[in-house]
């Protein structure tokens, strides 16, 4: 049996006109990383709300986000990709500046690792079942 670490993460749903903002890693195939929503780790001493805003900005390249509401918290085991259990704080965000339908962005990671290249785009909310690593599962809370 493998010991699994628990990490606090954020998961961000950003909606506009019945569509959800998603991205894909352009340096990897869909089979490896799938389609994702902005998400990531919570830094030491960082509030989940601040982490959600930071991750949305880093992964999309846009800055005009606001938190609409916290949808709750869920736990997801991402094994065997990593032997890690993620405790996810799930937020609904609003992006108040215009965006194209598709755009490229690069997350620099504060120089700690090689940059990550993304293609961001909007999908119909009904297609959110394609999200990787259980990211689509909490969307049902929006439909209640």
């Amino acid at each position: 049996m493998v010991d699994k670490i628990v990490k606090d993460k954020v998961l961000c749903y950003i909606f506009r006109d019945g569509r959800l903002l998603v991205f894909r890693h352009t340096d990897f195939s869909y089979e490896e990383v799938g389609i994702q929503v902005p998400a990531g780790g919570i830094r030491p001493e960082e509030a989940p709300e601040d982490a959600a805003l930071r991750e949305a900005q880093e992964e999309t390249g846009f800055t005009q986000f606001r938190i609409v509401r916290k949808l709750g918290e869920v736990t997801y085991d991402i094994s065997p990709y990593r032997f890690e259990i993620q405790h996810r704080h799930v937020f609904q965000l609003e992006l108040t500046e215009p965006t194209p339908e598709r755009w490229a962005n690069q997350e620099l990671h504060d120089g700690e690792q090689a940059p990550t290249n993304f293609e961001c785009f909007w999908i119909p909310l009904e297609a959110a079942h394609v999200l990787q690593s259980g990211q689509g599962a909490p969307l049902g809370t929006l439909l209640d």
Side-chain angles (χ1 to χ4, degrees), residues 13-30:
Y13 294 132
I14 303 159
F15 302 101
R16 180 177 286 160
D17 301 325
R19 297 179 301 157
L20 177 66
L21 178 59
V22 297
F23 67 86
R24 70 179 189 92
H25 291 261
T26 57
D27 297 329
F28 300 95
S29 69
Y30 282 108

Side-chain angles (χ1 to χ4, degrees), residues 1 5 14 29 33 43 48 54 60-61 67 72-73 76 80 96 105 113 125 128 130-132:
M1 181 176 226
I5 60 171
I14 303 159
S29 69
V33 295
R43 294 176 177 166
R54 176 182 51 77
T60 68
I67 294 175
E73 299 178 25
Y76 188 81
T96 59
N105 188 49
Q113 64 188 58
L125 183 56
V130 301
L131 294 171
Q132 65 93 23

Side-chain angles (χ1 to χ4, degrees), residues 39-114:
I42 300 173
R43 294 176 177 166
E45 308 300 321
E46 185 177 39
E49 294 80 3
D50 294 333
L53 294 169
R54 176 182 51 77
E55 288 292 342
Q57 291 172 1
E58 288 175 354
E59 293 178 357
T60 68
F62 287 92
T63 60
Q64 301 301 309
F65 291 96
R66 75 171 188 84
I67 294 175
V68 175
R69 62 183 168 150
K70 184 171 184 178
L71 299 171
E73 299 178 25
V74 296
T75 301
Y76 188 81
D77 185 340
I78 67 167
S79 304
Y81 175 65
R82 281 193 307 260
F83 293 101
E84 175 180 301
I85 295 173
Q86 296 184 347
H87 179 83
R88 297 173 172 174
H89 300 259
V90 184
F91 292 93
Q92 179 183 353
L93 304 183
E94 179 183 24
L95 175 57
T96 59
E97 59 190 298
T99 67
E101 288 297 310
R102 288 184 175 268
W103 67 96
N105 188 49
Q106 187 177 69
E107 183 177 359
L108 299 177
H109 303 289
D110 300 325
E112 297 173 7
Q113 64 188 58

